[in-house]
Amino acid sequence: MTAEQVRVSGVSRTEEIAADPNRVIVFDTTMRDGEQAPGFSMSAQAKLKMAQVLTDLGVDVIEAGFAAASPGDEDCIRRVAGEIEGPVFCSLSRSNEKDIDASFRALAPAPKSHRRCHVFIGTSPIHRTAKLKMSTNEVLSTAVRSVEYARSLFDDVEFSAEDAFRTEPEFLADVMEAAADAGARTLNVPDTVGYATPQEVRERFAALSARIHKRHPHVIFSAHCHDDLGMAVANSLAAIEGGARQVEGAINGIGERAGNASIEEVIMALKVREDRYGVTTGADSRHLVRASKILCEITETVIARNKSVVGINAFAHEAGIHQHGMLADSRTYEIMRPQDVGFEGSWFVLGKHSGRHAIAKRAETIGRPIEGERLAAVVVGFKQRADQIGEINDAELIAIIDRVDGVSEVVAQYA
């Protein structure tokens, strides 16, 4: 279906995607939930830059901000929605008309089929009593009223039950079904505080799907998992097993507290293990490293060397056993190609754990081939120097070879 056909038919972009039951919608919240974390605030220009790389990545939905948070945030969303083409753009709203109106103003520049209002309200006992001071009936009626109002302005409305996994299962299902009755097309079941475990997530999504899909077969269930216990990605994948067909996350896993599910890890898990999950995304994973680097530049932060998928050690090898295997066949120690995520290739780090095969290979690459007794002598000198300084670069390796060759020449003179 072309963009013009979508516009004329009134079908939202996400409904078009969801026509394939094995297609997972990638919802990126780097510029909303990610930006809410201390130290990650972004200017309008930075958001435009980030939105462009996310578009290149093939993200389906970009949550560009929280329009009611400030006039500046509303303006940022408006600029992104007006200057970037392709994804569905989304603004978060609390369950009140003022927030929803702000989202409507902010998203006005985007095509109607590419606008989404994301409405939420806390549903757990602690949120109801401590934050909202509402009864279950008041929460339910507020949710319904806000979704109905949002639907009067937007074709595409997502409803989130904040702190879903500390909410009573029966009440959660009641609220979700009521939101679907009111017109929400996506139902988000967020693990707002990173409390759930994969088994709980899988079971909760399966139960909600079994109940609500009876009356609303086309509603999309979404997972939004936080990483407080280090299980955000695992929980997101479990949600897919339970029937979720939208996953929300952020580049580099940024977000409130310990962060969101790392969207790059979810994308690659689904790609590498398609045999297990049986679903696909529309992401072009070759842009993942670039997205990660641009976010690091914008926020002036660094990620751990051993960060999954996009860390600089993700495709680096130092151990001799690993390097030997990699020289024989990269599949011995790599389950995905570095080029698939945006790196140029794998690389060997020469250090004290490296073996003679990797040392000889690197020496050959830099035009100084060594073998036999000469190689054995270089390996001895290499290990001694590596114990002193750690990583051995090309200049150090050449110096070691030169020292071995120099000693050999002296010995030969007096032989």
Side-chain angles (χ1 to χ4, degrees), residues 201-241:
V201 172
R202 189 181 302 108
E203 291 173 352
R204 187 68 61 91
F205 272 88
L208 288 168
S209 177
R211 172 174 163 176
I212 295 171
H213 275 152
K214 289 178 181 177
R215 291 176 54 188
H216 300 283
H218 302 299
V219 76
I220 301 164
F221 282 96
S222 178
H224 178 112
C225 300
H226 279 263
D227 209 34
D228 297 72
L229 293 177
M231 292 188 280
V233 171
N235 284 340
S236 299
L237 297 173
I240 290 170
E241 291 180 316

Side-chain angles (χ1 to χ4, degrees), residues 18 33 57:
D33 199 325
L57 174 60

Side-chain angles (χ1 to χ4, degrees), residues 67-68 74 77-78 91-93 97-110 112 115-117 149-150 152-155:
E74 181 179 329
I77 297 170
R78 186 178 297 108
S91 173
L92 187 68
S93 301
E97 293 185 6
K98 181 180 177 182
D99 277 24
I100 295 166
D101 287 340
S103 290
F104 183 70
R105 292 193 302 269
L107 293 170
K112 188 177 181 183
R115 304 175 200 162
R116 175 183 293 191
C117 185
Y149 183 71
S152 72
L153 300 174
F154 293 88
D155 289 336

